[in-house]
Amino acid sequence: MANPSLLILAGDGIGPEVMDEVKKIITWFDAQGIVSFDVSEGLVGGCSYDAHGTPLTDETMARALEADAVLLGAVGGPKYDKLDFSVKPERGLLRLRKEMDLFSNLRPAQCFDALADFSSLKREVVAGLDIVIVRELTSGVYFGEPRGIFVEGNERVGINTQRYTESEIARVARSAFELARKRSNKVCSMEKANVMESGILWREVVQEIHDKEYPDVALTHMYADNGAMQLCRWPKQFDVIVTDNLFGDILSDMAAMLTGSLGMLPSASLGLPMENGRPKALYEPVHGSAPDITGMGKANPIACILSFAMALRYSFSLGDEASRVEKAVEKVLADGVRTADLMGPEGGSPVSTGQMGDAIIAAMQASL
Ligand code: IPM
Ligand code: MG
């Protein structure tokens, strides 16, 4: 049988640096005879714009649709801030999400015990935290029409449209309920049904899917602003949160910070199954391209490495190997290995991106 294929789109800023550490792990799995991937690479974001005048070429888009899984680093940077909106680096990522139809974005926020004191919240609030935000990723205000900047009378008006169809809500709700059944059987759905019709429909459809198909799962609803407050106040009340594209964007950054560092959080964006039964899937760290530390060897590769672990679990049914990676991360953190973003106010000597990757591989080796 052919090896499973991986398309690596390292992107901009620290993307290539953190992806180098994932490549080391891929090489390690190959050398151990555990799993071998056919790896190919492509450009996305600013680097693609520099080379081809577009943040994503049709050719790369087609390869992404073919691949068994796509791994993405990060896109964007100040160099591209002045570009026309239609060719901004982020458009490349949004096109991938839309054309691959990756409607279900899983963003786990897990607080590693070794980092509990590092959160801006008190240890007891975050220690042991393990929640997943399921963010709808291909619709809502990110894609709704009409959109644009128009002239009305003697002034400009900026328009975006929040739009959700029943079927879009239903499918992301199902993915959240399915996930909940593998966890603590608990889902909290967040919207603004108090001010938005799309929120009213969201709440109704989530409730209907629950009542018809997942009555065993405990479902609650919350307004998204209250949800933000509750995430700060007592995040351990949640297990799976399901929410729309924009609220999910905001709430997942906040959940990320509960864990101590944005540099820790992976994500999986999943779509419908392909012919070979694997879901269309893209894996990427939640953090951005971090232009301020690009090229300095300071970036934390853990979010990207944990994203690869999610690929092992969700695309390749290698849950045990995913756990091996995750446990290795936990081990090095417990051993006090820290990149610069994980240094507390008292300081210390941080390791480089490459040293963190090497430490994780050493821990994986020791686990054999
Ligand atoms: C994210 C990012 C993206 C988003 C940007 C880079 C387009 O913030 O993945 O959370 O807004 O979805
Ligand atoms: Mg975001």
Side-chain angles (χ1 to χ4, degrees), residues 132-326:
V132 182
I133 296 187
V134 179
R135 169 187 177 193
E136 199 292 324
L137 202 60
T138 51
S139 186
V141 75
Y142 271 57
F143 296 97
E145 300 280 347
R147 64 184 299 166
I149 301 175
F150 305 96
V151 176
E152 266 179 25
N154 58 4
E155 66 172 354
R156 289 167 301 163
V157 46
I159 298 181
N160 290 91
T161 302
Q162 166 81 334
R163 181 179 192 278
Y164 269 107
T165 64
E166 248 185 291
S167 53
E168 286 168 341
I169 301 168
R171 64 182 188 171
V172 72
R174 284 194 186 94
S175 74
F177 289 130
E178 291 290 338
L179 180 66
R181 278 185 175 163
K182 294 185 199 131
R183 297 171 50 94
S184 319
N185 234 23
K186 205 167 94 174
V187 170
C188 180
S189 170
M190 296 188 187
E191 29 53 22
K192 287 278 290 175
N194 50 347
V195 287
M196 298 164 78
E197 284 80 358
S198 60
I200 295 176
L201 184 69
W202 181 282
R203 189 176 281 222
E204 279 175 15
V205 174
V206 171
Q207 188 67 50
E208 284 162 18
I209 297 291
H210 168 269
D211 296 351
K212 275 192 220 133
E213 301 172 33
Y214 301 92
D216 52 301
V217 179
L219 171 66
T220 52
H221 302 274
M222 206 177 260
Y223 298 141
D225 53 345
N226 182 28
M229 190 266 272
Q230 296 296 339
L231 268 172
C232 275
R233 190 184 70 80
W234 191 244
K236 286 187 262 186
Q237 70 187 282
F238 299 112
D239 190 66
V240 172
I241 293 173
V242 62
T243 189
D244 77 10
N245 205 341
L246 182 60
F247 294 141
D249 181 42
I250 296 166
L251 293 171
S252 64
D253 262 30
M254 190 156 118
M257 207 51 220
L258 300 175
T259 69
S261 167
L262 204 52
M264 301 290 301
L265 288 212
S267 79
S269 305
L270 306 174
L272 298 167
M274 299 183 281
E275 271 165 28
N276 61 16
R278 295 190 171 117
K280 285 224 171 57
L282 179 145
Y283 300 87
E284 57 174 319
V286 172
H287 64 67
S289 60
D292 52 323
I293 57 162
T294 296
M296 298 163 76
K298 280 190 184 174
N300 183 350
I302 290 180
C304 202
I305 289 172
L306 291 176
S307 300
F308 174 65
M310 291 185 89
L312 293 173
R313 177 170 292 118
Y314 292 107
S315 284
F316 304 112
S317 304
L318 291 167
D320 290 347
E321 298 308 325
S323 302
R324 188 195 301 282
V325 177
E326 290 158 356

Side-chain angles (χ1 to χ4, degrees), residues 90 93-94 97 107 135 142 249:
E90 290 79 3
L93 175 57
L94 293 169
R97 289 174 179 172
R107 298 192 160 187
R135 169 187 177 193
Y142 271 57
D249 181 42

Side-chain angles (χ1 to χ4, degrees), residues 69-128:
V70 179
L71 302 181
L72 190 137
V75 295
K79 184 177 161 200
Y80 308 105
D81 281 352
K82 297 232 152 53
L83 284 185
D84 186 73
F85 184 73
S86 63
V87 289
K88 275 200 188 299
E90 290 79 3
R91 304 307 305 169
L93 175 57
L94 293 169
R95 181 175 175 200
L96 282 166
R97 289 174 179 172
K98 187 71 179 172
E99 290 193 26
M100 292 172 77
D101 202 16
L102 305 172
F103 61 89
S104 175
N105 179 213
L106 313 186
R107 298 192 160 187
Q110 205 188 338
C111 182
F112 290 91
D113 206 50
L115 300 181
D117 291 318
F118 195 72
S119 170
S120 50
L121 299 189
K122 293 191 190 83
R123 170 176 262 277
E124 69 261 28
V125 177
V126 296

